[in-house]
Amino acid sequence: MRLVELNRTIEGDYPLAKFERLAEVLLSNEGYVTAKLEFGYSVGYACLKARASAKLLVRCQRCLEPMETVVTGSFKFALLDSEDDFELIPDEFEPYLLEGDEQSIIDILEDELLLSLPMVTVHDEACSDFIINQQKAAAAEKEASHPFAALKALKEELDNKAN
Ligand SMILES: [Zn+2]
């Protein structure tokens, strides 16, 4: 609330190692969460507008090898002392219940990043033998269904026999 009173904007990099809950789903806790947090009042409510992003190392769920994924989250919280106020705040806000005097910025950012994690993380490109073989089979099938390619192949085969 002090930051709200001061109308402070904080920009910074927070070490991933501090995000213990997030680290449980990561292969490495090296790196940073980059965040911008704007505290202030908006339409009479104490609010926190924030944007956080991080490059995370996770496991590809197809080939089980490590892969990087960039996760970005943004939110606009109305900081409230009581759940009674949840109904009153404008739609543009999400309610955030303050507990005690000190609120951990890491906790708030961590909640948001956990929510923003993709449900399924897989490499963009074909990465497992299964997928690569599937693509090869599809390409072969496409070639085989091309009549001119088939004729050309037949002609070449006949030429070879003739030689
Ligand atoms: Zn993969």
Side-chain angles (χ1 to χ4, degrees), residues 60 62-65 122-123 127:
C60 170
R62 192 161 56 202
C63 69
L64 305 181
E65 293 294 320
V122 290
H123 284 115
C127 55

Side-chain angles (χ1 to χ4, degrees), residues 149-162:
L151 278 177
K152 191 164 173 262
L154 184 65
K155 185 177 180 301
E156 277 169 12
E157 202 177 309
L158 289 173
D159 287 350
N160 284 341
K161 275 188 188 155

Side-chain angles (χ1 to χ4, degrees), residues 36-51:
K36 182 178 182 183
L37 302 120
E38 294 170 75
F39 297 87
Y41 283 100
S42 177
V43 292
Y45 290 95
C47 76
L48 165 60
K49 212 173 99 183
R51 186 177 165 80

Side-chain angles (χ1 to χ4, degrees), residues 89-101:
I89 58 167
D91 286 346
E92 59 181 303
F93 294 111
E94 286 177 66
Y96 191 93
L97 188 64
L98 294 170
E99 289 164 29
D101 296 335

Side-chain angles (χ1 to χ4, degrees), residues 16-26 106-112 114 117:
L16 260 180
K18 290 195 171 185
F19 296 76
E20 288 171 14
R21 286 176 294 143
L22 187 60
E24 283 175 20
V25 298
L26 303 180
I106 298 279
D107 265 355
I108 296 177
L109 293 177
E110 189 165 42
D111 285 340
E112 194 56 32
L114 282 168
L117 273 179

